[in-house]
Amino acid sequence: MPLPAFDAMLQPDAALVVAFSGGLDSTVLLHQLRGWQAQHPHSHLRALHVHHGLSPNADRWAAHCLSVCEQWQLPCEVLRVTVDGRENGIEAAARIARYQALSAALLPGEVLLTAQHLDDQCETFMLALKRGSGPAGLAAMPATRALGSHQLVRPLLNQSRQSLEAYADAHQLVWIEDESNQDQRYDRNFLRQRLLPELYQRWPHFAEATARSAALCSEQEQLLDELLAGQLNELIQPDGSLHFPPLMVMSELRANALLRRWIAGQGGSMPSRDALKRIHDEVMASREDAQPKLRFGQAELRRYRQQLYWLPLLSSLRDTELAWPDLCQPLALPQNLGTLRASQAQSLLRYPLPDEQVSVRFHAQGHVHLVGRHGGREMKKLWQELQIPPWQRERLPLIFYNQTLICVPNLFVTHAGAASHQPGWQIIWDGASRAGEQQ
């Protein structure tokens, strides 16, 4: 890519991070950006190498990347990941682990650049075609997209591998070859080694043609996004859930299009037609008192009342119990639920007696008597009255004195735990907003 072409994609003072595998593509990209940075002295450039640990040569590749960056006077960091391919296969698991590691390593304001090129775009299109994807899948890889709070840019999508090889030869670049790229058990390698060379021989501009088709599919998806944005925004609730009853009375095509866009907005992968039918039949159309759920990879779709929720898969905290022996010290909760700390700003709770131990649990049964209410309530009925979804009930910290429930921060205090006329304390849950996002 001529260096001026980067100007259309990058700000002159951009903080750039290259995903540097050490292969041909990322080596060319890093070298080109090094030249671009020399013309833009207010920009910053560094590299990240993801060490998957899948090859016996992985340590050597990491050392090569560090050596190249040292020679080019660029910072480089090696990110080690663990890849578990039991559920989605090695290719998908490695890709997920790679992007998670790269995203986590980015600093505020940094832009991630990856080196996918025209031939990669053709392969992605063909793989989507093999899966029977619709326009969203056939749109293949966009040149830019959001990656969490950052931006992901693919500057080489219009460049063929042949042109990258010519550039590398002209600049005497040295790169590594991943031996797994020759393994035709992987679909992408089969396309690259067997199928696409024959297609290119018959139709030399096949990659450019598929890129145009991908671009047209992307345009159609963007048009649908614009046309459906208003209606989708009306259905999405402040907590991110989807109010689904209107979908039950509209055409299947429109309902599915709205569902797909809501799921994408929640960070989910594009669901198949069969998956959309299951969402309709098993979740939206199930009986009113049911608690249906469907799993999608590392997420699950659940319904509560007339809302759909897209939730990360989390292990149950039902049997978790945390001792809080020193109220002067904050207590960290599991699964990023924040911390609890004691405060004397209000006298809501009585202090524990000398023989009472303070603990935090995430499950309770039986009747409770709440301050400000007459009579007792079964815990299940109480959660329903408070409109707490079933999956959220085991993520709320319940404060106990020995075996007696005292309170749930921000929700209620029991008679057994209430301060009367004596000095008391309250519990501040610093992670309450994060837990609310799980609802």
Side-chain angles (χ1 to χ4, degrees):
M1 172 182 283
L3 295 184
F6 285 112
D7 291 338
M9 309 183 76
L10 306 173
Q11 297 296 320
D13 60 348
L16 307 177
V17 179
V18 172
F20 185 36
S21 70
L24 167 69
D25 313 336
S26 61
T27 301
V28 169
L29 177 60
L30 188 61
H31 187 268
Q32 290 183 337
L33 285 170
R34 180 169 170 260
W36 182 85
Q37 184 196 27
Q39 299 177 5
H40 299 81
H42 295 295
S43 65
H44 299 274
L45 177 64
R46 68 186 183 104
L48 294 174
H49 174 79
V50 179
H51 186 303
H52 297 89
L54 297 174
S55 168
N57 296 310
D59 289 339
R60 183 172 62 84
W61 296 341
H64 167 83
C65 291
L66 291 172
S67 175
V68 169
C69 288
E70 182 179 9
Q71 177 185 346
W72 291 350
Q73 298 182 320
L74 294 173
C76 181
E77 180 182 356
V78 176
L79 309 175
R80 294 179 179 268
V81 300
T82 300
V83 179
D84 184 355
R86 289 175 294 180
E87 183 174 339
N88 298 313
I90 288 294
E91 283 183 291
R95 182 173 61 254
I96 292 170
R98 180 165 59 252
Y99 278 106
Q100 286 178 341
L102 291 168
S103 180
L106 293 176
L107 302 175
E110 286 187 324
V111 177
L112 179 67
L113 297 100
T114 57
Q116 291 95 347
H117 49 73
L118 183 63
D119 298 71
D120 294 325
Q121 184 77 309
C122 182
E123 294 164 8
T124 301
F125 181 92
M126 296 293 285
L127 290 171
L129 192 64
K130 184 265 296 183
R131 292 192 301 268
S133 300
L138 294 175
M141 296 180 287
T144 62
R145 73 171 178 88
L147 183 67
S149 60
H150 299 271
Q151 187 181 32
L152 170 64
V153 179
R154 300 182 174 102
L156 304 182
L157 277 184
N158 292 323
Q159 304 297 308
S160 68
R161 179 178 174 85
Q162 186 177 15
S163 68
L164 300 185
E165 290 174 344
Y167 180 96
D169 289 341
H171 292 84
Q172 298 182 324
L173 302 182
V174 178
W175 64 90
I176 60 175
E177 294 286 354
D178 185 343
E179 71 278 356
S180 69
N181 288 337
Q182 305 302 316
D183 189 345
Q184 294 186 19
R185 290 176 299 175
Y186 299 123
D187 289 343
R188 188 175 288 273
N189 290 344
F190 171 77
L191 284 173
R192 185 177 301 162
Q193 303 295 333
R194 293 277 299 276
L195 183 58
L196 288 176
E198 292 194 25
L199 292 175
Y200 293 157
Q201 185 175 2
R202 175 82 178 194
W203 301 298
H205 301 291
F206 184 79
E208 289 87 344
T210 56
R212 287 196 300 272
S213 293
L216 290 171
C217 289
S218 178
E219 288 178 6
Q220 294 300 309
E221 282 298 294
Q222 292 176 38
L223 177 59
L224 281 175
D225 287 344
E226 292 182 14
L227 295 175
L228 295 174
Q231 188 171 23
L232 183 61
N233 289 336
E234 292 177 358
L235 298 175
I236 295 177
Q237 305 305 298
D239 62 359
S241 64
L242 185 74
H243 182 63
F244 69 83
L247 273 63
M248 305 294 286
V249 296
M250 63 179 63
S251 72
E252 181 181 354
L253 291 176
R254 179 178 286 268
N256 285 347
L258 289 166
L259 266 177
R260 285 193 179 102
R261 280 156 179 78
W262 172 69
I263 291 173
Q266 298 296 304
S269 300
M270 187 62 59
S272 65
R273 292 181 67 184
D274 288 342
L276 291 170
K277 188 175 188 306
R278 291 191 65 194
I279 292 173
H280 178 276
D281 296 346
E282 300 176 29
V283 181
M284 294 193 296
S286 62
R287 69 180 190 275
E288 193 169 328
D289 61 343
Q291 296 183 12
K293 60 182 177 180
L294 288 176
R295 179 172 174 175
F296 295 90
Q298 294 303 307
E300 64 180 5
L301 182 92
R302 301 193 65 160
R303 187 192 79 187
Y304 182 64
R305 302 194 172 178
Q306 295 185 321
Q307 316 297 116
L308 296 180
Y309 295 82
W310 188 267
L311 304 165
L313 279 180
L314 298 167
S315 57
S316 174
L317 296 174
R318 183 184 182 91
D319 299 324
T320 299
E321 182 174 350
L322 306 173
W324 195 359
D326 185 358
L327 298 182
C328 294
Q329 299 297 323
L331 180 68
L333 299 177
Q335 297 187 4
N336 297 316
L337 287 176
T339 59
L340 301 177
R341 55 186 175 89
S343 170
Q344 296 180 340
Q346 288 183 286
S347 295
L348 299 179
L349 306 173
R350 65 175 178 85
Y351 284 107
L353 300 175
D355 62 345
E356 290 181 322
Q357 306 300 315
V358 183
S359 65
V360 179
R361 307 176 191 179
F362 296 87
H363 176 69
Q365 293 178 313
H367 277 75
V368 291
H369 296 263
L370 305 188
V371 172
R373 296 195 183 191
H374 296 291
R377 298 284 196 284
E378 282 283 351
M379 285 300 301
K380 181 177 180 180
K381 295 291 186 182
L382 178 59
W383 293 135
Q384 292 173 350
E385 289 180 24
L386 294 172
Q387 299 185 25
I388 305 296
W391 60 89
Q392 184 64 22
R393 297 168 192 174
E394 293 182 7
R395 297 185 62 75
L396 298 174
L398 282 61
I399 312 303
F400 281 77
Y401 290 174
N402 292 344
Q403 302 303 314
T404 302
L405 177 61
I406 299 302
C407 77
V408 176
N410 303 343
L411 283 181
F412 61 77
V413 175
T414 68
H415 283 297
S420 53
H421 300 294
Q422 72 269 40
W425 66 299
Q426 70 177 118
I427 297 176
I428 307 298
W429 182 14
D430 291 328
S433 60
R434 281 198 293 274
E437 290 172 0
Q438 301 291 338
Q439 297 183 21

